[in-house]
Amino acid sequence: MNVLVLDCGTSALKATAFAPDGAIVARAEAAYAGTAAEHRASPERWWQAAIAAVHDLPPLDFKAIALTGTMENLIPVAGDGTPLGEALLYTDPCGAPYLERLGGELEKVGAAAIAGNAPEPLMTAFKLDWLRENEPDRFAQARWFLSGSKDFLALRLTGRAATDASCAATTGLMDLRQRQWSKPLLGLHWIELARLPEILPATAIVGALTEVAAAELDIAPGIPVINGCGDGAATTIGSGAERAEDVSLYLGTSGWVARVAAFDGGPRPFYRLPHPLLEGVIEIAPIISAGAVAQWARETLGLDLDTAERLAAQADAAPGEVMFLPYLSGERSPFMDLDLRAGFVGVSATDGPGSLYYAALEGVAFAIAANLVAMGGKGAGSVSLVGGGALSGVWPAVIADVLGVDISVPADPVSATSFGAFRIAARALGYGNAASRSARAARPRADRRERIDRLSRRFAAATQFLRTIA
């Protein structure tokens, strides 16, 4: 009996069928139809994409459905689960003036200590403040305010409004220590507890698949729908990071460094999510441009992917001194500077497309290293690499050299988010601990250490200089 995982991402929904041992039986993907305004999305299109993706799977029997998806959104819904207009996505900065307005009150109630994260404008709480003031009718009509895209799917699948602690942590309204909504924070934003979804464990069964939803998906009704968690937490679990000090590196269009850690009370300069399967937290340092850097370099240099990989491999045989600062759209961590922009350093007349592309890959690796150092170093845990960038034959080796540690790459790094949701479902269904399968490892090359140390110092100095002239 297979487990169906629905991953409601930013641009598409992925439906993946897993066997009880974690092997992928089938998968399909459906992009969201139509267009939406910037920082907006149609939840109804999420559901239609779920239907399309599931229909594209071969006929299968399912034991359960597990969920994951984007976090930090604002999704107002009516009492019958109908979305009230478009969702405000996690990227929407509309809450910035409300954060500024509430700054003193937030400090008075100790919002950062309660939430475990310093208040920042993308949190759902400040989007709620914006909605109340700018679209009062929609605010008043909403029965529930959801933050996770997967929570909207859960409501459509079961009729129950629920979320998990990882999604709730991104709202700025949850007590991180208690993993429940905070009355002081709700009061500060004038939000009634009854209008928020119940916070359940990631392994909890939200409810049974309704006959209406089952008919639309064309699968059997009554199977359990497992809560799951937000995509950042699911990706960390899917990469195999499940013990204290384990590190997960993600290379998608954007990227992040995620580290499993104990919760020590006060806020840290990194976003913290409650670990769905442990008592501790996942610290996440976001990198705005990761895979986007590689794509930009290929397009700018006129290289297709195969050619770029071949040239990068040639450059890796004898890497030069050219360096790339990967701030195409600014940076969020280990410093916040959205006005900063990228640049090459140390380019010589002998540097061609291969060395420039290699420098772009290496620049992202140095950004990862800077975040890991700011988190406190690698520690005693394992380091894994997932996301589309992990498919490269060169990039994992470059990252291993820069970090100076072994890097493991799962057999299917692109499916890490869905696999993380499956691992949660496996725990809920009593399947045991479906371990992440490592297909290959990249090990640091000792003869590269002197060069890496030299370039690391240059990267830090060049970044600091670039920030003074940005």
Side-chain angles (χ1 to χ4, degrees), residues 249 251 361-362 364-366 368-369 383 385 389 394-405 407 442 444-445:
L249 310 176
L251 290 178
L361 301 183
E362 197 169 47
V364 175
F366 280 116
I368 290 171
V383 180
L385 178 65
V394 178
W395 215 348
V398 169
I399 294 172
D401 286 339
V402 172
L403 298 187
V405 298
I407 305 290
R445 293 165 282 192

Side-chain angles (χ1 to χ4, degrees), residues 256-272:
W256 62 69
V257 179
R259 182 180 185 181
V260 180
F263 178 52
D264 58 3
R268 288 259 288 159
F270 306 102
Y271 219 97
R272 293 192 289 190

Side-chain angles (χ1 to χ4, degrees), residues 269-312:
F270 306 102
Y271 219 97
R272 293 192 289 190
L273 305 175
H275 196 294
L277 299 177
L278 303 175
E279 292 184 357
V281 296
I282 299 170
E283 294 186 336
I284 295 184
I287 298 171
I288 292 181
S289 299
V293 168
Q295 182 176 352
W296 170 84
R298 289 194 300 270
E299 292 175 352
T300 302
L301 297 169
L303 307 175
D304 59 38
L305 181 58
D306 290 341
T307 302
E309 278 284 299
R310 176 174 56 80
L311 292 178

Side-chain angles (χ1 to χ4, degrees), residues 381-418:
S382 64
V383 180
S384 55
L385 178 65
V386 296
L391 296 172
S392 169
V394 178
W395 215 348
V398 169
I399 294 172
D401 286 339
V402 172
L403 298 187
V405 298
D406 290 356
I407 305 290
S408 65
V409 180
D412 189 354
V414 177
S415 297
T417 306
S418 295

